Amino acid sequence: MAAVDYEILKNEHELDIVLIVQHINKSKQIEKYCLSLCNPKVINSTKTRQKKGLIELLRNIKGWHCKCCEQQFYKSTSYTKHMLSKEHKAKSLGTDLIECSSKSCRKKFASQDEFQEHLQYSHKCSKSPRNGAKLDKLMMLENVKRQKYLYHKYLTNPNSFTVFEKDEWNFQSLKDKQKDDVLKENEYGLLITEAKPPNKEEEPIQLKTADDYLKKWDKMDKQEEAYENELEEAGRIWSNMVPCEALEDVEHKLKRKNLIV
């Protein structure tokens, strides 16, 4: 089998050698074209057709490169298929790919909205407890992410809040308001908690950030887990204590001595 002769490709066929060298090991089609053009046994009519195909392929290579996913394609069909894929859409949106937990489905979705719409119209998948838990987690993370974004904007450039973002901020402030909190509208139309002078027995109330809530929830989860572990350990210790017969014998002796009723 003839090898690729870059001198022939450059001098006889006037092809872009730099581009060929860059992609020949990644595309079998480019390699096939080059070998055909360098093979003296191949007739001229075939070489003419192969050269035309190679020039067309090299011309479209830059257009078949996905910068978002850092992938190079060598066919228009492969490139189009990739651009329409859920993997590419999720990468371009900056989200993780979401997979339906139902064993009979396993469809993939690029965003929370797509996954939510799937559960809305798929009665079987919506009954899956894992899908329900996954959706709740996604919604919580999305809400936390949104609150962190708004809080950062409040600290850096509060004057840039849109009307929708102001409504979103104020709604969340009312939702998070504690019994003794005092909310006031600042110069930017945003509701904020007014700092109260701390009492001796009370700690000063401060604005809670999204990170504060995450730490609080994590602490509560750990406390709940520790409490459950303690209950389990207490049950295990109790079950391994003195047998029931021995306890009844002790109780009988204590009654005889009038120590218990």
Side-chain angles (χ1 to χ4, degrees):
M1 186 176 181
V4 177
D5 190 332
Y6 293 103
E7 290 294 328
I8 294 176
L9 295 176
K10 181 180 179 180
N11 298 327
E12 294 186 14
H13 301 287
E14 298 178 348
L15 296 170
D16 189 342
I17 303 301
V18 176
L19 201 59
I20 291 174
V21 171
Q22 186 179 352
H23 296 281
I24 192 169
N25 293 327
K26 301 174 185 177
S27 170
K28 291 183 178 181
Q29 188 61 44
I30 293 178
E31 184 182 14
K32 179 181 177 182
Y33 283 145
C34 292
L35 289 171
S36 178
L37 293 173
C38 296
N39 191 347
K41 295 181 180 180
V42 177
I43 59 176
N44 290 332
S45 59
T46 302
K47 286 186 177 182
T48 302
R49 189 173 65 253
Q50 299 280 18
K51 180 180 177 180
K52 185 178 179 181
L54 179 57
I55 292 173
E56 186 70 20
L57 198 159
L58 294 174
R59 185 186 297 124
N60 291 310
I61 276 180
K62 289 184 179 179
W64 294 339
H65 177 71
C66 178
K67 293 181 180 179
C68 177
C69 302
E70 292 295 330
Q71 290 188 38
Q72 177 66 57
F73 299 90
Y74 298 94
K75 289 183 180 179
S76 61
T77 52
S78 302
Y79 175 72
T80 304
K81 184 179 179 181
H82 167 76
M83 296 301 288
L84 296 174
S85 68
K86 299 294 183 183
E87 288 80 1
H88 170 76
K89 188 175 181 180
K91 189 73 178 289
S92 61
L93 291 173
T95 59
D96 295 325
L97 203 63
I98 306 168
E99 184 178 0
C100 179
S101 297
S102 178
K103 291 183 179 180
S104 58
C105 179
R106 297 298 185 187
K107 288 183 179 179
K108 296 179 180 179
F109 304 93
S111 66
Q112 178 187 321
D113 291 338
E114 288 185 1
F115 181 57
Q116 202 165 355
E117 185 179 1
H118 168 67
L119 296 183
Q120 182 180 351
Y121 291 102
S122 177
H123 184 67
K124 186 176 181 180
C125 295
S126 63
K127 285 187 173 182
S128 170
R130 289 188 177 182
N131 279 336
K134 186 179 291 185
L135 183 60
D136 289 342
K137 182 180 179 181
L138 288 169
M139 292 178 69
M140 186 195 75
L141 291 175
E142 183 65 28
N143 183 56
V144 170
K145 184 179 178 182
R146 184 65 180 171
Q147 293 307 312
K148 289 179 72 174
Y149 163 77
L150 291 176
Y151 191 73
H152 179 266
K153 197 170 186 178
Y154 167 75
L155 294 175
T156 55
N157 191 12
N159 196 33
S160 64
F161 270 69
T162 64
V163 176
F164 174 76
E165 288 173 343
K166 284 182 182 180
D167 291 340
E168 190 177 0
W169 172 278
N170 292 338
F171 175 78
Q172 191 66 37
S173 297
L174 290 170
K175 186 178 178 182
D176 295 340
K177 180 180 179 296
Q178 301 297 319
K179 183 179 178 181
D180 298 326
D181 286 349
V182 178
L183 292 177
K184 282 194 175 182
E185 188 175 306
N186 65 7
E187 57 184 310
Y188 306 107
L190 303 172
L191 291 176
I192 60 171
T193 303
E194 189 179 56
K196 294 170 59 179
N199 297 329
K200 293 183 179 180
E201 299 179 356
E202 297 180 357
E203 293 182 357
I205 300 174
Q206 298 178 353
L207 280 173
K208 295 292 185 179
T209 66
D211 287 334
D212 292 334
Y213 283 114
L214 284 176
K215 290 177 182 177
K216 181 180 178 182
W217 293 336
D218 186 51
K219 184 178 180 181
M220 291 172 64
D221 288 341
K222 288 180 179 177
Q223 288 176 346
E224 185 177 351
E225 184 180 353
Y227 178 69
E228 291 177 354
N229 291 337
E230 286 179 4
L231 286 178
E232 185 179 348
E233 181 66 15
R236 186 182 64 80
I237 294 173
W238 178 256
S239 63
N240 293 331
M241 288 178 67
V242 184
C244 294
E245 295 81 1
L247 289 174
E248 291 175 358
D249 184 53
V250 171
E251 184 180 357
H252 179 69
K253 290 179 180 179
L254 291 173
K255 282 182 178 180
R256 289 181 59 186
K257 293 182 179 181
N258 296 323
L259 294 177
I260 63 172
V261 179

PDB file of all heavy atoms in Angstrom, residues 207-223:
ATOM      1  N   LEU A 207     -28.481  39.921  58.019  1.00  0.00           N
ATOM      2  CA  LEU A 207     -29.002  39.387  56.768  1.00  0.00           C
ATOM      3  C   LEU A 207     -28.380  38.020  56.495  1.00  0.00           C
ATOM      4  O   LEU A 207     -27.184  37.832  56.694  1.00  0.00           O
ATOM      5  CB  LEU A 207     -28.673  40.329  55.608  1.00  0.00           C
ATOM      6  CG  LEU A 207     -29.576  41.552  55.442  1.00  0.00           C
ATOM      7  CD1 LEU A 207     -29.005  42.465  54.368  1.00  0.00           C
ATOM      8  CD2 LEU A 207     -30.992  41.144  55.080  1.00  0.00           C
ATOM      9  N   LYS A 208     -29.195  37.088  56.062  1.00  0.00           N
ATOM     10  CA  LYS A 208     -28.716  35.742  55.752  1.00  0.00           C
ATOM     11  C   LYS A 208     -28.396  35.642  54.269  1.00  0.00           C
ATOM     12  O   LYS A 208     -29.211  36.004  53.431  1.00  0.00           O
ATOM     13  CB  LYS A 208     -29.785  34.703  56.121  1.00  0.00           C
ATOM     14  CG  LYS A 208     -30.093  34.624  57.607  1.00  0.00           C
ATOM     15  CD  LYS A 208     -28.928  34.064  58.388  1.00  0.00           C
ATOM     16  CE  LYS A 208     -29.279  33.882  59.845  1.00  0.00           C
ATOM     17  NZ  LYS A 208     -28.171  33.325  60.613  1.00  0.00           N
ATOM     18  N   THR A 209     -27.225  35.148  53.954  1.00  0.00           N
ATOM     19  CA  THR A 209     -26.864  34.895  52.568  1.00  0.00           C
ATOM     20  C   THR A 209     -27.230  33.463  52.204  1.00  0.00           C
ATOM     21  O   THR A 209     -27.582  32.661  53.074  1.00  0.00           O
ATOM     22  CB  THR A 209     -25.354  35.113  52.349  1.00  0.00           C
ATOM     23  OG1 THR A 209     -24.646  34.111  53.092  1.00  0.00           O
ATOM     24  CG2 THR A 209     -24.942  36.497  52.801  1.00  0.00           C
ATOM     25  N   ALA A 210     -27.119  33.151  50.906  1.00  0.00           N
ATOM     26  CA  ALA A 210     -27.405  31.778  50.471  1.00  0.00           C
ATOM     27  C   ALA A 210     -26.444  30.782  51.102  1.00  0.00           C
ATOM     28  O   ALA A 210     -26.828  29.675  51.471  1.00  0.00           O
ATOM     29  CB  ALA A 210     -27.296  31.701  48.946  1.00  0.00           C
ATOM     30  N   ASP A 211     -25.192  31.205  51.295  1.00  0.00           N
ATOM     31  CA  ASP A 211     -24.205  30.319  51.936  1.00  0.00           C
ATOM     32  C   ASP A 211     -24.575  30.035  53.386  1.00  0.00           C
ATOM     33  O   ASP A 211     -24.383  28.927  53.885  1.00  0.00           O
ATOM     34  CB  ASP A 211     -22.811  30.952  51.882  1.00  0.00           C
ATOM     35  CG  ASP A 211     -22.229  30.920  50.488  1.00  0.00           C
ATOM     36  OD1 ASP A 211     -22.625  30.022  49.725  1.00  0.00           O
ATOM     37  OD2 ASP A 211     -21.412  31.783  50.167  1.00  0.00           O
ATOM     38  N   ASP A 212     -25.126  31.067  54.074  1.00  0.00           N
ATOM     39  CA  ASP A 212     -25.552  30.876  55.460  1.00  0.00           C
ATOM     40  C   ASP A 212     -26.641  29.821  55.557  1.00  0.00           C
ATOM     41  O   ASP A 212     -26.642  28.975  56.448  1.00  0.00           O
ATOM     42  CB  ASP A 212     -26.066  32.197  56.045  1.00  0.00           C
ATOM     43  CG  ASP A 212     -24.944  33.213  56.217  1.00  0.00           C
ATOM     44  OD1 ASP A 212     -23.795  32.771  56.374  1.00  0.00           O
ATOM     45  OD2 ASP A 212     -25.222  34.414  56.161  1.00  0.00           O
ATOM     46  N   TYR A 213     -27.601  29.901  54.616  1.00  0.00           N
ATOM     47  CA  TYR A 213     -28.692  28.923  54.625  1.00  0.00           C
ATOM     48  C   TYR A 213     -28.179  27.523  54.338  1.00  0.00           C
ATOM     49  O   TYR A 213     -28.611  26.541  54.952  1.00  0.00           O
ATOM     50  CB  TYR A 213     -29.756  29.313  53.596  1.00  0.00           C
ATOM     51  CG  TYR A 213     -30.651  30.452  54.053  1.00  0.00           C
ATOM     52  CD1 TYR A 213     -30.614  31.679  53.413  1.00  0.00           C
ATOM     53  CD2 TYR A 213     -31.521  30.294  55.134  1.00  0.00           C
ATOM     54  CE1 TYR A 213     -31.418  32.726  53.835  1.00  0.00           C
ATOM     55  CE2 TYR A 213     -32.326  31.333  55.559  1.00  0.00           C
ATOM     56  CZ  TYR A 213     -32.277  32.547  54.906  1.00  0.00           C
ATOM     57  OH  TYR A 213     -33.075  33.566  55.314  1.00  0.00           O
ATOM     58  N   LEU A 214     -27.260  27.402  53.389  1.00  0.00           N
ATOM     59  CA  LEU A 214     -26.709  26.084  53.071  1.00  0.00           C
ATOM     60  C   LEU A 214     -25.982  25.486  54.286  1.00  0.00           C
ATOM     61  O   LEU A 214     -26.116  24.307  54.587  1.00  0.00           O
ATOM     62  CB  LEU A 214     -25.740  26.200  51.896  1.00  0.00           C
ATOM     63  CG  LEU A 214     -26.379  26.357  50.514  1.00  0.00           C
ATOM     64  CD1 LEU A 214     -25.298  26.547  49.460  1.00  0.00           C
ATOM     65  CD2 LEU A 214     -27.235  25.149  50.172  1.00  0.00           C
ATOM     66  N   LYS A 215     -25.207  26.335  55.008  1.00  0.00           N
ATOM     67  CA  LYS A 215     -24.505  25.859  56.199  1.00  0.00           C
ATOM     68  C   LYS A 215     -25.488  25.445  57.275  1.00  0.00           C
ATOM     69  O   LYS A 215     -25.298  24.442  57.976  1.00  0.00           O
ATOM     70  CB  LYS A 215     -23.578  26.957  56.720  1.00  0.00           C
ATOM     71  CG  LYS A 215     -22.377  27.225  55.828  1.00  0.00           C
ATOM     72  CD  LYS A 215     -21.539  28.375  56.369  1.00  0.00           C
ATOM     73  CE  LYS A 215     -20.360  28.680  55.451  1.00  0.00           C
ATOM     74  NZ  LYS A 215     -19.578  29.850  55.929  1.00  0.00           N
ATOM     75  N   LYS A 216     -26.570  26.229  57.415  1.00  0.00           N
ATOM     76  CA  LYS A 216     -27.574  25.934  58.428  1.00  0.00           C
ATOM     77  C   LYS A 216     -28.267  24.611  58.131  1.00  0.00           C
ATOM     78  O   LYS A 216     -28.452  23.771  59.005  1.00  0.00           O
ATOM     79  CB  LYS A 216     -28.597  27.075  58.478  1.00  0.00           C
ATOM     80  CG  LYS A 216     -29.688  26.878  59.518  1.00  0.00           C
ATOM     81  CD  LYS A 216     -30.661  28.046  59.503  1.00  0.00           C
ATOM     82  CE  LYS A 216     -31.792  27.838  60.499  1.00  0.00           C
ATOM     83  NZ  LYS A 216     -32.775  28.952  60.466  1.00  0.00           N
ATOM     84  N   TRP A 217     -28.650  24.433  56.843  1.00  0.00           N
ATOM     85  CA  TRP A 217     -29.324  23.180  56.461  1.00  0.00           C
ATOM     86  C   TRP A 217     -28.402  21.992  56.649  1.00  0.00           C
ATOM     87  O   TRP A 217     -28.811  20.917  57.081  1.00  0.00           O
ATOM     88  CB  TRP A 217     -29.789  23.263  55.006  1.00  0.00           C
ATOM     89  CG  TRP A 217     -30.866  24.273  54.788  1.00  0.00           C
ATOM     90  CD1 TRP A 217     -31.753  24.748  55.709  1.00  0.00           C
ATOM     91  CD2 TRP A 217     -31.151  24.963  53.574  1.00  0.00           C
ATOM     92  NE1 TRP A 217     -32.581  25.690  55.140  1.00  0.00           N
ATOM     93  CE2 TRP A 217     -32.244  25.838  53.835  1.00  0.00           C
ATOM     94  CE3 TRP A 217     -30.624  24.933  52.280  1.00  0.00           C
ATOM     95  CZ2 TRP A 217     -32.787  26.656  52.871  1.00  0.00           C
ATOM     96  CZ3 TRP A 217     -31.171  25.751  51.319  1.00  0.00           C
ATOM     97  CH2 TRP A 217     -32.239  26.604  51.603  1.00  0.00           C
ATOM     98  N   ASP A 218     -27.118  22.164  56.302  1.00  0.00           N
ATOM     99  CA  ASP A 218     -26.150  21.080  56.459  1.00  0.00           C
ATOM    100  C   ASP A 218     -25.984  20.721  57.929  1.00  0.00           C
ATOM    101  O   ASP A 218     -25.906  19.551  58.295  1.00  0.00           O
ATOM    102  CB  ASP A 218     -24.810  21.509  55.860  1.00  0.00           C
ATOM    103  CG  ASP A 218     -23.803  20.381  55.866  1.00  0.00           C
ATOM    104  OD1 ASP A 218     -24.152  19.289  55.387  1.00  0.00           O
ATOM    105  OD2 ASP A 218     -22.684  20.583  56.355  1.00  0.00           O
ATOM    106  N   LYS A 219     -25.959  21.737  58.810  1.00  0.00           N
ATOM    107  CA  LYS A 219     -25.831  21.511  60.245  1.00  0.00           C
ATOM    108  C   LYS A 219     -27.047  20.777  60.787  1.00  0.00           C
ATOM    109  O   LYS A 219     -26.932  19.843  61.602  1.00  0.00           O
ATOM    110  CB  LYS A 219     -25.662  22.847  60.959  1.00  0.00           C
ATOM    111  CG  LYS A 219     -25.428  22.729  62.457  1.00  0.00           C
ATOM    112  CD  LYS A 219     -25.208  24.095  63.097  1.00  0.00           C
ATOM    113  CE  LYS A 219     -24.979  23.973  64.601  1.00  0.00           C
ATOM    114  NZ  LYS A 219     -24.798  25.300  65.230  1.00  0.00           N
ATOM    115  N   MET A 220     -28.257  21.187  60.311  1.00  0.00           N
ATOM    116  CA  MET A 220     -29.485  20.526  60.759  1.00  0.00           C
ATOM    117  C   MET A 220     -29.521  19.069  60.327  1.00  0.00           C
ATOM    118  O   MET A 220     -29.940  18.192  61.080  1.00  0.00           O
ATOM    119  CB  MET A 220     -30.700  21.280  60.215  1.00  0.00           C
ATOM    120  CG  MET A 220     -30.901  22.666  60.833  1.00  0.00           C
ATOM    121  SD  MET A 220     -32.185  23.627  60.009  1.00  0.00           S
ATOM    122  CE  MET A 220     -33.626  22.622  60.347  1.00  0.00           C
ATOM    123  N   ASP A 221     -29.062  18.816  59.095  1.00  0.00           N
ATOM    124  CA  ASP A 221     -29.024  17.430  58.595  1.00  0.00           C
ATOM    125  C   ASP A 221     -28.085  16.577  59.442  1.00  0.00           C
ATOM    126  O   ASP A 221     -28.395  15.429  59.777  1.00  0.00           O
ATOM    127  CB  ASP A 221     -28.562  17.411  57.131  1.00  0.00           C
ATOM    128  CG  ASP A 221     -29.621  17.956  56.197  1.00  0.00           C
ATOM    129  OD1 ASP A 221     -30.802  17.995  56.614  1.00  0.00           O
ATOM    130  OD2 ASP A 221     -29.275  18.351  55.071  1.00  0.00           O
ATOM    131  N   LYS A 222     -26.932  17.148  59.808  1.00  0.00           N
ATOM    132  CA  LYS A 222     -25.967  16.396  60.616  1.00  0.00           C
ATOM    133  C   LYS A 222     -26.506  16.138  62.019  1.00  0.00           C
ATOM    134  O   LYS A 222     -26.309  15.065  62.590  1.00  0.00           O
ATOM    135  CB  LYS A 222     -24.648  17.169  60.694  1.00  0.00           C
ATOM    136  CG  LYS A 222     -23.864  17.177  59.383  1.00  0.00           C
ATOM    137  CD  LYS A 222     -22.572  17.945  59.518  1.00  0.00           C
ATOM    138  CE  LYS A 222     -21.802  17.919  58.210  1.00  0.00           C
ATOM    139  NZ  LYS A 222     -20.551  18.718  58.289  1.00  0.00           N
ATOM    140  N   GLN A 223     -27.211  17.139  62.594  1.00  0.00           N
ATOM    141  CA  GLN A 223     -27.796  16.965  63.921  1.00  0.00           C
ATOM    142  C   GLN A 223     -28.879  15.884  63.894  1.00  0.00           C
ATOM    143  O   GLN A 223     -28.967  15.055  64.806  1.00  0.00           O
ATOM    144  CB  GLN A 223     -28.385  18.293  64.397  1.00  0.00           C
ATOM    145  CG  GLN A 223     -27.347  19.335  64.781  1.00  0.00           C
ATOM    146  CD  GLN A 223     -27.967  20.659  65.159  1.00  0.00           C
ATOM    147  OE1 GLN A 223     -29.144  20.901  64.892  1.00  0.00           O
ATOM    148  NE2 GLN A 223     -27.172  21.530  65.767  1.00  0.00           N
TER     149      GLN A 223
END
